[in-house]
DNA sequence: CCAAAGCAAGAGCAGTGCTCTCGATTGTGT
DNA sequence: ACACAATCGAGAGCACTGCTCTTGCTTTGG
């Protein structure tokens, strides 16, 4: 869009990027709690008040980092998906799950920013919503392809959940049966439960070989949403 | 133990409790990030330096609150379990899951303290470990009882996971088969994934009727660890 | 070419975690 | 019962934080 702006505008985007980069460095080093505007400015050789020309508050800087983190995670997941797009849906699913896990383990503090407790004002700004949805949409896409290919396993829903299930299916994937959407949303949350526990140390004296444990759990999730490994004989419940 | 200590010691424990109570109040009102030692002292009518006689640092106050939160959550889960101890294991499981969810929704900031991103020094102090294990042990107990009664469904483990599964089973529940322990740990993490997403707002424009959705997901988890509802005809895989 | 906008710098305010010192109070051993 | 030691509250103070406001300088656009 505005690539060929004036020199002033280009300088502005450069400084903005430099601020975010330095903030990310401090975030990785010390965590979100100790991220200091003044320290960022100091490291960049400017005075702290100048930084407010680019971000009106510390919380706005953090939300910018949050959006970037969502995008970075989404790109990592999509890149992993692209590499296995020819394989079976179950393998695609597990590959995306493992990409999420590896991204999180490599940047625990950035991950904490988006899937830990919300640190700014407890209510996530609505601007983060589209970026946050990328991984979820990718997982929906995998299941959609598998469903259009050959169908997925079906679960009976209890009566009291049927209206809500229809609602969710309409919003998220009108071409998928509500039963599938329900287990999909559950699996989505459960995936991040597994990653959370590993990143935040809840598995510390419990699970040792966390890589193979996670791969297995992700495979179980794939199976739960109706995707089956080709070699695994289990075709139905 | 030391109930009948001197008046000095009793006053100390009283002041300590008052500090923690006020800190909990501020935590519920503003979140962990804005919890201030000086504000706590101010509200209690003492000067900030006096507070350091009771907690050597802000982080130590927070860890005390963390341990209390783990204990409070454990008690809530155990109380819910006690109320349904006569019913089927699957119902017990779901009851405990719902107790965890309700505890978390009633105290989102306290929940964030223990299952959100670790705020103090990123490495959880080892003193919190026993308190953190209570909910997990309770869930293991439910499955253990069900297993000793009539056995639970069995899953085949991939070869590369067998050694780790044996390790985990030895440490956590030597009387349970490794296959069960593996899915149990996974279900434990996934339960908190569901609660996390709801408490932290990830379900906001996605799931509307979150109570019934959660109940259903918890039931699926119960089924996954091998517990079956009596009326549901599915007895095996 | 000149006014308007964008910018960096500095001072300053209120608040924070934490340390140190100083009396006063309390508990304990002889 | 007395003296010593430990404990406690209060105050001052340090280094730091987020943020605001004013002051000049530079760039930009009409």
């Amino acid at each position: 869009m505005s690539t060929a702006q004036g020199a002033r505008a280009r300088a502005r985007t450069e400084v903005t990027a430099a601020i975010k980069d330095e903030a990310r460095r401090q975030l990785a080093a010390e965590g979100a709690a100790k991220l200091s505007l003044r320290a960022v400015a100091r490291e960049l050789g400017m005075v702290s008040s100048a930084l407010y020309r680019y971000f009106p508050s510390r919380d706005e800087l953090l939300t910018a980092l949050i959006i970037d983190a969502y995008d970075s995670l989404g790109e990592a997941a999509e890149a992993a998906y692209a590499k296995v797009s020819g394989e079976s849906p179950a393998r695609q699913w597990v590959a995306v799950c493992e990409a999420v896990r590896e991204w999180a383990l490599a940047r625990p503090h950035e991950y904490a920013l988006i899937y830990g407790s919300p640190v700014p004002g407890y209510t996530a700004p609505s601007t983060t919503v589209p970026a946050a949805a990328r991984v979820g949409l990718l997982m929906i896409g995998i299941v959609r392809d598998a469903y259009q290919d050959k169908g997925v396993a079906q679960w009976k829903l209890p009566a009291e959940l049927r209206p809500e299930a229809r609602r969710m299916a309409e919003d998220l994937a009108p071409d998928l049966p509500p039963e599938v959407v329900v287990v999909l949303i559950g699996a989505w949350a459960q995936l991040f439960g597994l990653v959370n526990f590993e990143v935040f140390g809840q598995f510390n004296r419990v699970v040792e070989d966390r890589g193979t444990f996670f791969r297995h759990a992700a495979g179980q999730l794939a199976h739960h949403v109706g995707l089956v490994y080709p070699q695994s004989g289990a075709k139905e419940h």
Side-chain angles (χ1 to χ4, degrees), chain A:
Chain A
M1 298 281 193
S2 51
T3 336
Q5 281 286 10
R8 190 77 267 134
R10 167 158 43 249
R12 182 173 178 82
T13 70
E14 272 178 22
V15 174
T16 305
I19 292 173
K20 289 203 289 189
D21 281 354
E22 176 59 30
R24 240 184 305 268
R25 270 200 54 245
Q26 296 196 12
L27 183 68
E30 301 263 29
K34 305 206 171 179
L35 196 167
S36 147
L37 277 190
R38 294 181 105 114
V40 170
R42 203 179 304 135
E43 210 71 18
L44 259 54
M46 53 172 119
V47 85
S48 72
S49 60
L51 210 146
Y52 283 82
R53 302 257 168 207
Y54 299 88
F55 294 95
S57 79
R58 197 192 101 117
D59 283 4
E60 298 265 356
L61 212 199
L62 274 179
T63 41
L65 293 183
I66 288 175
I67 294 176
D68 284 4
Y70 273 125
D71 276 332
S72 168
L73 174 61
E75 274 174 34
E78 283 162 16
Y81 171 70
K83 276 190 190 165
V84 295
S85 59
E87 308 194 23
S88 78
R91 285 196 189 285
Q92 294 173 5
W93 175 279
V94 173
V96 169
C97 290
E98 288 195 294
V100 170
R101 169 178 178 263
E102 275 154 27
W103 187 95
L105 288 177
R107 307 156 183 80
H109 286 115
E110 248 174 298
Y111 178 81
L113 220 52
I114 56 181
Y115 285 107
S117 24
V119 323
Y122 180 56
T123 51
S126 58
T127 53
T128 67
V129 171
R134 282 179 68 169
V135 173
L137 292 179
L138 182 56
M139 290 164 59
I140 289 180
I142 292 175
V143 174
R144 189 200 325 271
D145 291 348
Y147 181 73
Q148 289 173 341
D149 264 13
K150 48 186 161 184
V152 296
Q154 70 283 7
W155 298 73
K156 274 176 297 192
L157 291 182
E160 74 257 23
L161 192 58
R162 290 211 61 89
E164 172 68 14
R166 257 192 291 267
R167 249 211 63 267
M168 296 194 303
E170 248 178 71
D171 281 8
L172 298 169
D175 50 344
L176 286 180
E179 295 87 348
V180 174
V181 176
V182 165
V183 300
L184 202 36
I185 298 296
W188 174 52
Q190 289 165 20
L191 160 65
F192 285 97
L194 291 164
V195 177
N196 259 288
F197 266 33
E198 181 166 355
V199 173
F200 296 157
Q202 228 96 21
F203 278 162
N204 266 356
R205 300 239 147 216
V206 181
V207 185
E208 220 62 67
D209 186 359
R210 296 175 197 140
T212 66
F213 177 80
F214 179 85
R215 163 174 264 127
H216 177 253
Q220 296 277 86
L221 278 183
H223 184 257
H224 188 230
V225 298
L227 309 177
V228 289
Y229 280 97
Q231 78 272 20
S232 147
K235 266 262 158 67
E236 69 222 59
H237 263 300

